Structures are given as structure tokens and as C-alpha cells.
Amino acid sequence: MKIALAQVNYLIGDFGGNRSKIKGAVSEAMSRGADLVVFSELAICGYPPLDLLERKEFIQACMHSMEILAGELDPEIGVLVGGPEFNPNKDGKLLFNSAFFLNQGKIRQVFRKTLLPTYDIFDEYRYFEPNRTFRILEFRNRKLAVTICEDLWDEQPFDNEFSRSRLYTANPLEELAVLKPEAIINMAASPFAHRKMEVKQSIFTGKAARYKLPVLYCNQVGAQTELIFEGGSMAVHPDGKVAAKLPLFREDMLVTDLEDLTGSASEISANLIPDRIGTIADALVCGIRDYFRKLGFKTATLGLSGGIDSAVTLALAAEALGPDNIHVLLLPSQYSSGHSVNDAASMAKNLGVRYDILPIEMLFNQFRETLRPLFGELPEDIAEENIQARIRGTLLMALSNKFGNILLNTSNKSETAVGYGTLYGDMSGGLSVLGDVYKTDVYRLAHYLNRDGEVIPEPIISKPPSAELRPDQKDSDSLPPYEVLDQILEAYIERQLPVEKVAELGHELQLVTRVIRMVNQNEYKRYQTPPILRISSKAFGTGRRLPLVARY
């Protein structure tokens, strides 16, 4: 039996478009001799549909689209497509997260998801009832175990010390193994996390080796707002070696023969984990491109300051959207150094991006004069610094509104974590590109983006970081070196270590306490930021839910 894994980029709620993509992939699979074509979790509607799942008409549209699809496919081909299903039982949640087996013009069999994650960005038990009945797909004299994403993740190595390796009491594969399947199929919508690539692969290789069965993993690809799905669909030998693997961040198809998969144990280079920084860059480009494409926008703007964050954001956006679709503003104040303006202009020229220079000194002085009766002779402080950031935000949003350009936010994760940013100023935007990228990785991205020649001028990378909101200002005036800060933040945010454990990693307890206090005190700012492209296992946003008002 030949099985095709169709790695497809869906749009949530685009039933006609998704169905057309599925049919196109089935046609290609048939031309390559496939007997069975596998698509990803909730493919019929796109993942994650969130509270659209609470609308009866949405579920009816999903089921209607599935029935149309079944009737439009060649009757001889077998197809597995994910979609929501009404729960026929009178008790429990209204829906199942299901896989529909289509053949001979009909829905022939349905398989339901057992393990429903509620950690990080997932909240599936909000919508779905867990499966409690296990059955095998029998097709073309083969017995196949059909699982959906988390059903293979009953054991997982968390790097958070306050967690368990086994999150569930149920074990779907143990139940299915009793039925003697010849292979395991996993239909997934598993989002990208740059530190989890090896862990994710080990889940599938580990299950294959444990049950001595081939594993065929089909993952969604493409971005849905902040979530980025890398694809990376793969076929794994029963001995736990990767036999074939699809590329990341693009639509593709893998056709594998079960006979070959069970009869050979050769390992291919797909078993290697790709470069972390290069993969982050590819993920962010994918996230930008799909956010614009799926919203129906083409053009972007941002404030190009001559600093590292806006430079990296521009380079990624130019790759995602094309330089002709970007219009940036250089917004110098009296505190902006001449080389910052020159460096920003040089970068815009390197990429062929349109830029305009709008000095803000006059506007800033007008704000000062207007506020003088209130501020009197009080010394200038963060209030005046924030005015500059908000002037820039206003000008950028004016350009956005006038010409329909989405404003890209350029704040990085380190600064967002400690509140080093201005609401309604440099924290404005329709999409945060670097909000899940620590500053040290921003520099690594800059070097990566320059790998084939200078895109980002070298002075932007080498000069000390500064917001340039007062004379001779440096980030190091108020923050520890980013190499130190990022280690503390990663330990506290991603690994959720307490203060004492973070200090034990080699940091002064007083510094750790101060940094963590800054993180906690600035939760209110993060509540008001744009969607952040998620590239880690603990991004700010839906995957990190903390009270806005708290004393802890």
C-alpha cells in the first residue's frame, strides 16, 4: 500500500478553498500511485478555529463540506481528513475532534481524538469530548491505527520542573496496539517551537521503536495569526529511524510504500535537526507572509530607526512580502545620532525599500510647550521619552491608515518582558514580528540574514543598543547585558523556575529579583500588544495566561 502525506496550508473557515486544496492534493497523490491520502487535523476548516466551534452553523458547514468532498473524490482512493463532528451522545461536550475516512463517495468511518491538550496555546477540552472507543482502519487488506496529534504525546519531556512527563491517564496507542495494526498514522496540527524540534521528532521515532510499527506523521503547514505550523511531516521506520521527511514551512507531499517502510532500516539525513536560527528566520517569514495573505493585505510599514530590531524586522518583511510592498519611515529626533539615520537609509537602499525621513523634533517641542503649564519646571524624565515614541507611533499609524499598510511592531521579547517599551508608541502595530525572539537571538538573526552579503549594515549590528530618547542613552543604563538578561528571562518564562533556582544558574539574587519584578509589573503592557508570532514554547499571548492584577 502506498500512503501519501499531504502537507497543506489551510485558511480557517475557507471551506471552498480548503476543499479545493484537498482535492488537488488527492489528484497529485493518485498520479503518484497512492492508495491512501492523509491530511492534517481539522483540515476541512483549518486549525485552530477557536470559538467558531461554538457556532452550530460553522459545524454544519464543516460537515456539509466533508460530504461534498467525499462525493467529489475518485471512489477508489482512500482519504483521511480531519474535521469537527457532532457528538451523537446526549451527555458530554457537543463535539468530537475527528478524522473522517472517505471512500466510494461517502464517509465510511470516523476516528476520534482521545487526548485533548489544555496547556500552552491549546484549549481543546473547551470544545471537544475525548474519545473512549478504539477501532482500526481496515483498507486494502491493511490494518491502520489512526491517531490525531496529541494522541501520540501521552508522554513528553517538559523542561518545566513543575510538570509531569505523563499528562494523561489514557494511552491511545496501548489501546490500539491490542487491535494489531500494521502502521500508525498521526494527523496533526502541531505548532512550531524552535527549542522543540528535536523533542517533536523524538516523539514519533520513540513511538515507532516502542511499538515496532512504522509511524506516518502528517502535520499542517503555514501560519494562522500568531501560530506557525512548520510541517515537517515524516515517515518513520519501526526501528525508530526517520525514512523520509518533508521540508519545513512549505506545502509538499510525501508518498511512501508500507512495504518499503517496514522492509528497510536505512536512516536518511532528514533525521538531522535543522539550524535553529535559520529555522526561526524561515518561521517568521512564513508568519508574516501568511498573516498578510490570509487577511487580504499586501503592504506593510514600520519605523526604521537604525537599530537592530527594526533592521531585522525589515529584512524579514522584505523577504516575506517583497521590497516593493514596504514603505518605511525614518523618524529622527534631536537625540537620534546621525549615523543611525544614515544606517537606516543605507539599509532601505540595500533592500530597495521606499523610505521617507520625517524629523519629529518640531512636534516634540510643540508637545513640550503645550504641556509646560502642567509640567512646570519638573525635570524631563520618562514622560518626555514616551511622548517621542508616541509621536512616532502616530505618524506610522497615519501612514498605515492612509495607504492601507499594516504597521509591523519591532519590539523584541527581552524588552517586551521587562516593559522596555511605550504603549501606543513603539508597542503599536498590527503584528509583532520579534515579540517572541530574545535580543541575543535578534543579533544572531541579523548575522544569518547577512550570510550571503550585507543586508543589514554592519554598524547597526555592532553599535551598543539604544532607544535614543535622551542624550547618550544606552539600554545598559537600565538593563543588565542582554546575554545575562536573556538567560534570566528564559529560565523564568520558558522553564518557569522560581527566583532562587534562577539565581542558582549563576546570577546575583538581587538582579534576578529585580528582573522578575519588572516582568511581573509589566503584564498590563503585554495585554495591549499586537499578536506576537510564536516561535517558542512559551510566547506572550494566549499561551501565557497570567492575572493582570495580582500581588504574587
Side-chain angles (χ1 to χ4, degrees), residues 1-12:
M1 172 185 281
K2 285 188 175 182
I3 299 178
L5 305 179
Q7 185 168 286
V8 178
N9 188 348
Y10 307 98
L11 175 57
I12 293 169

Side-chain angles (χ1 to χ4, degrees), residues 231-386:
S233 304
M234 69 183 84
V236 184
H237 284 293
D239 62 2
K241 292 189 173 75
V242 175
K245 187 174 182 180
L246 288 180
L248 306 183
F249 308 113
R250 76 165 191 252
E251 293 183 311
D252 209 333
M253 178 177 290
L254 171 64
V255 179
T256 186
D257 195 316
L258 274 186
E259 293 291 342
D260 296 337
L261 196 57
T262 55
S264 172
S266 60
E267 186 172 20
I268 63 165
S269 59
N271 214 43
L272 301 176
I273 302 302
D275 170 68
R276 186 178 71 88
I277 295 300
T279 307
I280 289 174
D282 291 343
L284 295 174
V285 168
C286 173
I288 297 168
R289 182 181 293 131
D290 272 4
Y291 187 75
F292 278 73
R293 181 176 63 84
K294 293 179 179 181
L295 279 177
F297 284 84
K298 293 183 178 180
T299 56
T301 188
L302 58 87
L304 193 62
S305 67
I308 190 75
D309 299 314
S310 61
V312 169
T313 302
L314 176 58
L316 294 168
E319 184 175 342
L321 305 174
D324 292 344
N325 290 316
I326 302 174
H327 181 183
V328 301
L329 296 183
L330 283 59
L331 303 165
S333 73
Q334 59 267 49
Y335 304 126
S336 302
S337 61
H339 62 77
S340 289
V341 178
N342 293 336
D343 293 341
S346 295
M347 180 171 179
K349 292 173 183 175
N350 285 349
L351 289 170
V353 167
R354 178 184 174 185
Y355 72 95
D356 286 287
I357 302 176
L358 303 180
I360 68 167
E361 182 176 358
M362 183 178 69
L363 290 170
F364 180 42
N365 289 334
Q366 289 175 341
F367 269 88
R368 280 168 153 170
E369 290 303 313
T370 301
L371 290 166
R372 193 173 300 280
L374 296 178
F375 288 3
E377 298 304 316
L378 291 172
E380 292 194 356
D381 56 17
I382 194 171
E384 284 76 15
E385 293 185 20
N386 287 345

Side-chain angles (χ1 to χ4, degrees), residues 180-202:
K180 306 296 184 184
E182 299 171 64
I184 301 164
I185 292 172
N186 187 254
M187 304 162 62
S190 179
F192 171 72
H194 66 92
R195 298 272 187 203
K196 296 289 187 181
M197 291 186 286
E198 189 169 359
V199 168
K200 186 180 291 189
Q201 186 162 293
S202 71

Side-chain angles (χ1 to χ4, degrees), residues 408-462:
L408 295 176
N409 179 272
T410 64
S411 301
N412 64 65
K413 189 172 188 175
S414 306
E415 294 166 356
T416 302
V418 297
Y420 199 74
T422 304
L423 280 173
Y424 328 119
D426 57 321
M427 295 180 73
S428 299
L431 180 68
S432 174
V433 175
L434 300 178
D436 198 26
V437 183
Y438 287 117
K439 187 81 168 190
T440 47
D441 276 344
V442 174
Y443 280 100
R444 294 183 181 104
L445 279 170
H447 288 293
Y448 175 82
L449 293 166
N450 278 356
R451 66 195 183 281
D452 296 325
E454 185 179 272
V455 174
I456 301 173
E458 193 280 332
I460 291 178
I461 300 174
S462 60

Side-chain angles (χ1 to χ4, degrees), residues 27 30 92 97 128 148 204 237 268 326 385 392 428 507 509 514 542:
S27 295
M30 290 182 66
N97 184 343
F128 299 115
I148 303 175
F204 306 108
H237 284 293
I268 63 165
I326 302 174
E385 293 185 20
R392 290 181 171 121
S428 299
H507 307 291
L509 180 60
R514 181 169 75 89
T542 57

Side-chain angles (χ1 to χ4, degrees), residues 167-181:
L167 295 181
Y168 307 97
T169 56
N171 186 329
L173 276 186
E174 286 294 318
E175 300 284 348
L176 290 166
V178 174
L179 304 175
K180 306 296 184 184

